[in-house]
Amino acid sequence: QKRKEPHVQTIMSEKTNSMVVEGDETTLEELQSRCVIPGARLGHVEDVAPGTGTHVVDQHVCSSLLGFRSVTQPVAENSDQRPMVSVERRKEVSAVPQLGSVVTARVTKINPRFATVHILCVGSTALRETYSGLIRSHDVRATEVDKVEIYKCFRPADIVRAEVISLGTAQSYYLSTAKNELGVVSAKSVAGETMYPLSWETMQCPKTKAIEFRKVAKLDE
């Protein structure tokens, strides 16, 4: 009797950026390693096709959601033989920000002294509960902290990567973006388009070509 082969799913390894194959049973640790944030690059359009929960910016397929990435291999009959990358929401995992945690957060409002955020992820783990955080002006960058202008660093709805530097008050964690790899990872322009970074302090709208100020995180290629 012919042995029945198990159903497998091909996904992109987060650490090695290479294809790996898994069976139906996906562990919690494996799910967390595939968690992606809005704006995260999932691959070049020459290598992967955009699926549900994604969009294309500057020839790269990017996530449109906070969720989990999967890659579907094309069938032999398709003329397009690129694997299709998608992002889907799944049940959140319980986690709590700790001192030193790197978190992903959405900016909700700004004023001259600080930006208020809602924390979405701790590391690569999506949160079930909502936690608030503050990025104070002197915690935005490591140099010339007295010259920081919050409105040139963050805008409401920006997605930022930050580090927990203090448990703060009962209402909010204190966060910092004063490292190269921390800051805005995804932002929409005034025209409503997802921007791409030009430098550590500017992003550009692909539609209008307008340049806007942000404290941009240096992302891995």
Side-chain angles (χ1 to χ4, degrees), residues 8 12 31 33 35 47 51 53 55 69 93-94 121 135 140 145 149 163 165 174 178 201 207 210:
V8 296
M12 189 79 76
L31 280 178
S33 71
C35 182
D47 303 318
H55 60 278
R69 171 178 58 185
V93 178
S94 179
C121 293
I135 306 174
V140 171
V145 296
E149 297 176 274
E163 182 180 358
I165 57 172
Y174 287 150
E201 59 181 356
K207 182 178 181 180

Side-chain angles (χ1 to χ4, degrees), residues 106-111 114-118 132-135 156 172:
R106 177 181 287 110
V107 178
T108 56
K109 58 183 177 181
I110 60 173
N111 66 39
F114 55 81
T116 303
V117 304
H118 282 169
S132 294
L134 297 178
I135 306 174
S172 298

Side-chain angles (χ1 to χ4, degrees), residues 36-40 55 62-67 104 106 120 159 185-187:
V36 294
I37 62 173
H55 60 278
C62 299
S63 173
S64 301
L65 308 172
L66 172 65
T104 303
R106 177 181 287 110
L120 306 174
I159 302 297
V185 296
S186 179

Side-chain angles (χ1 to χ4, degrees), residues 48-211:
V48 295
T52 57
T54 70
H55 60 278
V56 176
V57 177
D58 194 27
Q59 299 297 302
H60 285 84
V61 180
C62 299
S63 173
S64 301
L65 308 172
L66 172 65
F68 296 92
R69 171 178 58 185
S70 64
V71 178
T72 304
Q73 293 299 326
V75 296
E77 294 79 13
N78 283 0
S79 58
D80 187 350
Q81 285 297 296
R82 294 175 300 169
M84 179 176 290
V85 61
S86 303
V87 179
E88 59 182 15
R89 291 189 176 96
R90 295 190 184 175
K91 186 177 179 180
E92 294 87 353
V93 178
S94 179
V96 177
Q98 303 290 338
L99 189 65
S101 296
V102 174
V103 301
T104 303
R106 177 181 287 110
V107 178
T108 56
K109 58 183 177 181
I110 60 173
N111 66 39
R113 296 184 296 116
F114 55 81
T116 303
V117 304
H118 282 169
I119 299 173
L120 306 174
C121 293
V122 176
S124 57
T125 303
L127 298 182
R128 179 178 297 132
E129 300 178 39
T130 299
Y131 297 92
S132 294
L134 297 178
I135 306 174
R136 298 168 294 184
S137 59
H138 58 272
D139 295 322
V140 171
R141 64 191 186 205
T143 60
E144 297 184 317
V145 296
D146 56 325
K147 297 181 180 180
V148 170
E149 297 176 274
I150 288 290
Y151 78 95
K152 286 188 174 182
C153 301
F154 312 108
R155 293 295 176 90
D158 286 356
I159 302 297
V160 302
R161 182 189 294 156
E163 182 180 358
V164 178
I165 57 172
S166 171
L167 301 184
T169 66
Q171 289 77 32
S172 298
Y173 290 86
Y174 287 150
L175 309 177
S176 170
T177 57
K179 293 181 179 178
N180 290 343
E181 66 272 20
L182 303 177
V184 176
V185 296
S186 179
K188 289 188 179 296
S189 66
V190 174
E193 299 291 324
T194 300
M195 297 189 291
Y196 56 87
L198 293 179
S199 70
W200 69 271
E201 59 181 356
T202 57
M203 304 183 83
Q204 187 171 36
C205 174
K207 182 178 181 180
T208 66
K209 306 303 179 183
I211 296 175

